[in-house]
Amino acid sequence: MTGELRMGRSEWLLLFGLAAIWGSSFPFYKIMVAQIPPMTIALGRTAIAALALNLVLRARGERIAATRWDAFWFLICGILNNALPFSLIAFGEIRLSAGLASILNATTPIFGILVAHMLTDNERLTGPRLAGVLLGFGGVAVLLGPGLFDSGAAGSGGRLLAEAACLSSAVAYAFGGVFSRRLSGHSALRIATGQATAAALVMIPLVVVFDRPWTMPMPGPAALLSLAAIGLACTALTYVMYFRIMRVAGATNMLLVTLLVPVSALILAALLLGETLRPNAFAGMALIALGLVAIDGRVFRRVRMLNTTRS
């Protein structure tokens, strides 16, 4: 409740700005995947962000990690929060629209509740959270339903694999969110820099072995500009905005970003790419949104407060 009261005008502006920037990453992916392999996209995104963040960290006179244990957790979190989900989302968007990929990625808090229940002692499943998880998975079933029951359609197997990749990116983010708590003693800038740097280092040998981008045609200006934007704005800048909101408004309010990101992604995908979605996509998004509202819990708290006041 305290975090909710501290959501001032500047925090709301940052929240909407963060959602808009993160939402733009999905159309940017769609532009890039036509010319750049998925793992190369992940390397470019993390390397650009790491360079920018290291320059800022250096200018402030800070270092990334003081011990080998710090470096180990930066590596784990860099893989789970950056390298793996960035690669999976890019792979998924080869076949999926940017809007659908953003909706599937909005399941991150739903998986996060399950991961936290399994791996922590202080974040157990409650009735409202369980209801939210069930609603969220109901939304995923609505999204995947046509593909699941139309296995004979041309390309349906590849589409399901792409959808599974986007859902897997949400699972990676969920585990990354739990393990990131191991780094709570570091500044937000240091955590962001350490994760991005570790992720870029992990991606280099994978790109060299599997993608070999130097053997492919040079990407066009739109793809290169999208890569620069997704590295600087959607990764480096959003870390600063994200941790500012976290510090002032608390983790509960960050769920609002998850509700807003698909909205901004759908609007931008329609404007920039001319995308449209089937009715089942909007129905699935509505169920996922209801699940997130249930997990958030503030609606139920306000209803109880109103009932208590009236009685």
Side-chain angles (χ1 to χ4, degrees), residues 89-215:
I89 293 171
F91 175 80
E93 288 205 37
I94 294 175
R95 289 183 175 269
L96 302 181
S97 67
L100 181 56
S102 71
I103 296 171
L104 291 169
N105 190 251
T107 59
T108 296
I110 295 167
F111 288 111
I113 291 296
L114 296 176
V115 172
H117 177 77
M118 292 186 295
L119 300 182
T120 68
D121 295 324
N122 59 349
E123 291 196 36
R124 314 301 292 178
L125 270 176
T126 61
R129 287 185 171 186
L130 179 59
V133 168
L134 294 175
L135 281 168
F137 284 132
V140 171
V142 170
L143 284 170
L144 305 186
L148 288 173
F149 296 105
D150 192 22
S151 58
S156 64
R159 180 180 175 84
L160 287 175
L161 185 61
E163 291 168 338
C166 288
L167 286 173
S168 297
S169 73
V171 175
Y173 280 132
F175 276 97
V178 171
F179 288 125
S180 292
R181 299 175 192 181
R182 303 272 185 170
L183 299 168
S184 59
H186 295 276
S187 69
L189 178 60
R190 185 177 295 172
I191 295 171
T193 307
Q195 289 186 166
T197 303
L201 293 174
V202 167
M203 293 308 303
I204 289 173
L206 295 175
V207 168
V208 169
V209 173
F210 295 106
D211 281 358
R212 305 179 66 196
W214 62 87
T215 65

Side-chain angles (χ1 to χ4, degrees), residues 215-239:
T215 65
M216 302 177 182
M218 183 70 176
L224 293 176
L225 287 173
S226 296
L227 185 59
I230 209 171
L232 292 173
C234 301
T235 310
L237 175 61
T238 52
Y239 272 122

Side-chain angles (χ1 to χ4, degrees), residues 14 22 114 130 143 172 194 205 273 292:
L14 281 172
W22 266 344
L114 296 176
L130 179 59
L143 284 170
L273 306 173
L292 294 175

Side-chain angles (χ1 to χ4, degrees), residues 35-141:
Q35 302 180 47
I36 306 175
M39 284 190 290
T40 303
I41 291 174
L43 171 59
R45 179 174 182 177
T46 54
I48 292 170
L51 176 61
L53 290 167
N54 271 286
L55 289 174
V56 175
L57 195 71
R58 193 72 176 268
R60 294 182 56 172
E62 296 184 46
R63 293 187 177 183
I64 295 179
T67 67
R68 292 182 179 179
W69 193 242
D70 291 334
F72 171 77
W73 283 112
F74 281 134
L75 176 63
I76 297 300
C77 294
I79 292 171
L80 292 172
N81 286 326
N82 297 144
L84 186 56
F86 293 171
S87 300
L88 288 169
I89 293 171
F91 175 80
E93 288 205 37
I94 294 175
R95 289 183 175 269
L96 302 181
S97 67
L100 181 56
S102 71
I103 296 171
L104 291 169
N105 190 251
T107 59
T108 296
I110 295 167
F111 288 111
I113 291 296
L114 296 176
V115 172
H117 177 77
M118 292 186 295
L119 300 182
T120 68
D121 295 324
N122 59 349
E123 291 196 36
R124 314 301 292 178
L125 270 176
T126 61
R129 287 185 171 186
L130 179 59
V133 168
L134 294 175
L135 281 168
F137 284 132
V140 171

